[in-house]
Amino acid sequence: MKLGILNACTPADEDEFQVKEFHIFTNFFAQVDHNFALTEYRITEGQFPQGADECDAYLITGSPKGVYDNDDWIGQLDHYIRDFYAAGHTLVGICFGHQILAHALGGQAKKSPKGWGMGPSIIEVTQSQPWMTPPLPTGNFYFCHQDQVTSLPQHAELLAGNEFCPNGMFTIGNQVLGLQAHPEFTTDIMVTAIDSLSKVVEPTVIDNAISTTAQRQVDNAIMAQWIVNFLVGSQQSVLALSQTKTKVAF
C-alpha cells in the first residue's frame, strides 16, 4: 500500500521543533508490522499529489496552523480533502489533520476557549470498532493543541474523547479517521514542544505538562496498530467494492 504523508509543517516549523515530520511518522509506523510505502508531500510548499490515485491513502499531519488561517496551502488542502473523499480514498488526520478533515467534510474546528491541551492525557473509548485491536478501553496519548473539533461532519461516528476534548477521535465509515492526539510524538518530541511553547502557554499548563510527561507512559504502539488496521481494512473494502462492480459490469 502506498501511503501519502501530507506534511502540514513548514521547514521553519520543523527547525523550531527540531523534528522532521516525515521521519517521525516513518518511526511511528515502524513500531508495528506493515507493508506501507510512505511518500512525503510538502503541502506547505505547494507540493500536492498530482491526482488522488498517486497513493492508496493519505495521512495529514499536525501543524501550528489552524483551519481558519488564510495560507494558500490550507485552502488547497481543503479542496483536496473533498476531492479525495469523493474519489473514495482513505484519509487519516492527526491533530491539525483531524481538525481539517472535520472542517472540510462539513463539521467545524476552531480555537477552544478552554485553552491549551498539552502533555499526556487519557481518552475514553466510547465506541469500539473491529480494527481497534488490541483493545484499549482508555488510552494515554500526548496532546499539543489549542484548537478543537467542535462539531463533527454528518455521518461521522465519535469513537473517543474526554472532558477537555470531547471530539477526540472520529470516523466516517471505513474511509476517514481523525485523531486529536499526537500518537507519533516520542517523549523527547513532547518535551521539545513544551519548551518551544513555554513563552506563549500559561505557566500552570506548562508545569503540569512537564510533570505528567515525566510520569506517564503512552500507548503509541497500540494506536500505530489501530491506524494500520484501519488503513488495511479500508483498502480491503475498496478492493471488494471494485471486484463487485467488475462482476456487475460483466
Side-chain angles (χ1 to χ4, degrees):
M1 181 192 303
K2 191 172 182 181
L3 176 63
I5 305 296
L6 304 184
N7 185 352
C9 287
T10 67
D13 294 332
E14 292 182 331
D15 288 343
E16 179 182 355
F17 289 93
Q18 303 172 35
V19 293
K20 300 293 184 183
E21 284 293 297
F22 187 68
H23 293 164
I24 291 174
F25 280 97
T26 298
N27 293 335
F28 172 65
F29 284 114
Q31 297 177 96
V32 296
D33 291 335
H34 68 84
N35 64 347
F36 299 166
L38 274 58
T39 299
E40 181 183 24
Y41 295 91
R42 300 213 63 116
I43 58 176
T44 65
E45 306 299 294
Q47 183 189 12
F48 284 85
Q50 294 299 304
D53 292 337
E54 277 196 14
C55 295
D56 300 300
Y58 295 92
L59 183 150
I60 307 164
T61 74
S63 173
K65 291 290 185 177
V67 302
Y68 43 75
D69 287 323
N70 294 323
D71 302 58
D72 289 343
W73 66 267
I74 295 177
Q76 286 180 276
L77 178 58
D78 193 273
H79 288 295
Y80 268 87
I81 288 169
R82 290 197 293 270
D83 289 347
F84 287 0
Y85 180 74
H89 286 273
T90 308
L91 298 163
V92 175
I94 304 295
C95 195
F96 167 83
H98 159 83
Q99 295 159 12
I100 199 164
L101 281 176
H103 174 79
L105 298 175
Q108 186 180 49
K110 61 184 180 181
K111 197 176 298 295
S112 173
K114 298 178 181 179
W116 282 86
M118 184 172 290
S121 185
I122 295 172
I123 60 172
E124 180 181 356
V125 175
T126 56
Q127 182 63 45
S128 184
Q129 297 293 329
W131 49 265
M132 294 167 72
T133 56
L136 194 67
T138 60
N140 200 27
F141 302 101
Y142 290 130
F143 286 77
C144 186
H145 67 110
Q146 191 176 14
D147 296 352
Q148 293 196 30
V149 172
T150 54
S151 63
L152 294 173
Q154 187 178 16
H155 306 306
E157 184 173 12
L158 180 62
L159 301 185
N162 57 30
E163 184 177 357
F164 181 83
C165 182
N167 295 317
M169 182 177 177
F170 76 92
T171 54
I172 303 177
N174 60 5
Q175 190 181 350
V176 175
L177 169 62
L179 179 66
Q180 180 59 65
H182 278 286
E184 81 283 12
F185 272 20
T186 63
T187 300
D188 287 345
I189 293 171
M190 187 71 251
V191 169
T192 300
I194 293 168
D195 182 63
S196 296
L197 293 167
S198 60
K199 294 181 180 179
V200 297
V201 178
E202 292 182 6
T204 54
V205 175
I206 292 294
D207 291 344
N208 181 68
I210 291 171
S211 63
T212 54
T213 297
Q215 295 168 5
R216 297 184 190 174
Q217 298 294 314
V218 288
D219 297 304
N220 290 356
I222 291 179
M223 184 57 72
Q225 187 63 67
W226 284 9
I227 294 175
V228 168
N229 293 346
F230 178 81
L231 289 168
V232 170
S234 178
Q235 289 305 299
Q236 290 173 343
S237 296
V238 169
L239 180 61
L241 180 60
S242 176
Q243 291 173 340
T244 300
K245 288 181 178 179
T246 300
K247 290 178 182 179
V248 170
F250 283 97

